[in-house]
Amino acid sequence: MEVNILAFGIAREIMGKQNLVLEIPNQSTVKELLEIIEMQFPKLKDLASMTIAINEEYVKEEREIKAMDEIAIIPPVSGG
Amino acid sequence: MEVNILAFGIAREIMGKQNLVLEIPNQSTVKELLEIIEMQFPKLKDLASMTIAINEEYVKEEREIKAMDEIAIIPPVSGG
Amino acid sequence: MIKITDQPINITEVIELVNASGAGAIDVFIGTVRNKTQEKQVTRLEFEAYDGMAVKEMQKIAESAKSKWPVQKIAIYHRKGVLEIGEVAVVIAVSTPHRKDAFEACQFAIDTLKQTVPIWKKEVFEGGEEWVSAHP
Amino acid sequence: MIKITDQPINITEVIELVNASGAGAIDVFIGTVRNKTQEKQVTRLEFEAYDGMAVKEMQKIAESAKSKWPVQKIAIYHRKGVLEIGEVAVVIAVSTPHRKDAFEACQFAIDTLKQTVPIWKKEVFEGGEEWVSAHP
C-alpha cells in the first residue's frame, strides 16, 4: 500500500523533502517501516534516535500501519 | 545613656510607636537591651522571635550598644 | 493556554493567563537564544515544529503537571521560525497556592517539553549549522 | 536591581533588567496575594518594611546567589503598603546560561528573602487581622 510520510528537522533535510510517498507491504509494523525508510536514506541511521508518530501520537514499534494513518518521522527533539 | 529605637510590624504595634527613646546603662549589650525592652513591653515575650539590628545589620547578642547606633527591633519577618 | 506561534511571544500575556485568586505563587520559565553553545558563536536559531502533535504533547505536559502538583493554571507558549540572539523561544508560567509547587511544576514542564515535544532547533554559526542533539 | 516600592510592580520591567545575551534561561518568581490562608478569607495584606536594611539584605541575597550559581543578572523587587487580592508582592528574576541554575538560584533567593529580609506582612480578614509568623 501507499503511505504518506511527514518528516521534520534533520530527517526532513536528509530525505530532501517534508512529504514523502512510500510503497510498503500491507500490514507493515512501525518497526518494519523504519527499516524501509532507513534502507532508502542510510544517513538516518547516524541519528541519536528516530521514532515514528502516528496520528500525532508516539506509538510502539509493533503498531501496525493503516492506510489512512498520518505518519511522521521524529528525529531527536530539541525544543525549549 | 539615651538611645533611639525603631520598631516594626507587631513590635511597633505592641510598643505603640515606631520610634522610642530609652534610657539604658552605658556599655549595655544587645542582650541586655532586649531584656530592658521586654521588661517594659511584656507582650514582646510572646513573639516567636525578636532580634535587634544595629546600623541596618543583624548583630550578635554580645554586641555593645554605642550612643550613635541606629537600633531596630526585628520581630519575625514575613516578607515575600 | 498552549500555543505554538511564529510571532514574538508576549511574556506578560502568558503570565496574565495564569492569574488566579487562589494562587500565591507564580513561577515563570523563559528560554532565550544564547549567543554561544559549547564555545561556538551562534548567529541565530531556527525552530521547526510538528504543530498539531507539539500542541498535543504540550497539553499532556499541562495535564500531567496538574495531576502531580496543586496547579491552579499553567500556560506554555513556544515560538517557531527564525530567532535572533536574545529572543524568547519558550515561556512556561505556572500558578500554585505555595511557591515550592510552582518551581517544581514549572521545572517539570520545561524538562519534559525538551524530551517529548516534537520541536527541532537548528543552530546557525558563522560558517555552519547544526540540528541540536541530532547526532550521538 | 533591588527595589522596595509602594507602587505596583511592573513585572516586565523586572524581567527586562535580567536580559543578557549569554543567558539561555530566565526564571521568574512572582509572589501574589492569595484570597485565603489556612481557610480564613483574606481581604487584603499590609506590608511594612525597614527600607534601608531590607535593601541591604536583598543585595546580600543577590551577591550570595551570584557566588553559588553562574548568575548573569538578578533583580529583586518587593512591594510595601496595602495590597489587594491578586496583587504582586514580590518579583525575583534570575538569568543564567542553563535552566537548572536559574530555577535553583531563584528558589534560593525567595526562600532566603522570607528568612532574612526585614519586611512584615499583616493579613486582614473579615473581622480581624494578624501579623504573619509573629507568634509561635
Side-chain angles (χ1 to χ4, degrees), chain C residues 83-97:
Chain C
L83 274 75
E84 309 293 332
I85 307 299
E87 281 200 277
V88 173
V90 60
V91 177
I92 301 178
V94 182
S95 59
T96 61

Side-chain angles (χ1 to χ4, degrees), chain D residues 1 8 11-12 26 29 31-32 35 38 50 57 59 63 65 69 77-78 82 86 94 111-112 136:
Chain D
M1 299 196 280
I11 297 171
T12 310
I26 298 173
F29 176 79
T32 57
N35 60 1
Q38 292 154 0
Y50 180 12
E57 288 295 324
Q59 272 158 348
E63 290 313 311
W69 291 275
Y77 275 40
H78 204 298
V82 176
V94 182
D111 287 352
T112 309

Side-chain angles (χ1 to χ4, degrees), chain A residues 6-10 12-13 18 43 46-49 53 55-58 70-80, chain C residues 47-50 52-53 56-57 60 78 90 110 113-122 129 131-136:
Chain A
L6 294 169
F8 296 95
I10 193 167
R12 175 181 54 70
E13 285 193 350
Q18 166 105 356
K43 274 195 161 177
D46 301 338
L47 300 182
S49 72
N55 303 327
E56 304 186 340
E57 299 282 350
Y58 291 110
E70 176 174 316
I71 301 165
I73 298 181
I74 311 284
V77 302
S78 51
Chain C
F47 283 92
E48 179 173 333
Y50 181 11
M53 181 174 173
K56 278 191 188 171
E57 288 295 323
K60 282 182 196 166
H78 204 299
V90 60
I110 181 64
L113 182 149
K114 283 178 170 270
Q115 287 162 13
T116 65
V117 177
I119 295 178
W120 298 270
K121 174 166 52 194
K122 186 162 71 175
E129 54 178 50
W131 287 98
V132 176
S133 305
H135 293 103

Side-chain angles (χ1 to χ4, degrees), chain D residues 1 61-74:
Chain D
M1 299 196 280
I61 292 170
E63 290 313 311
S64 181
K66 283 181 184 171
S67 73
K68 288 175 204 283
W69 291 275
V71 169
Q72 304 257 345
K73 292 185 182 173
I74 177 169

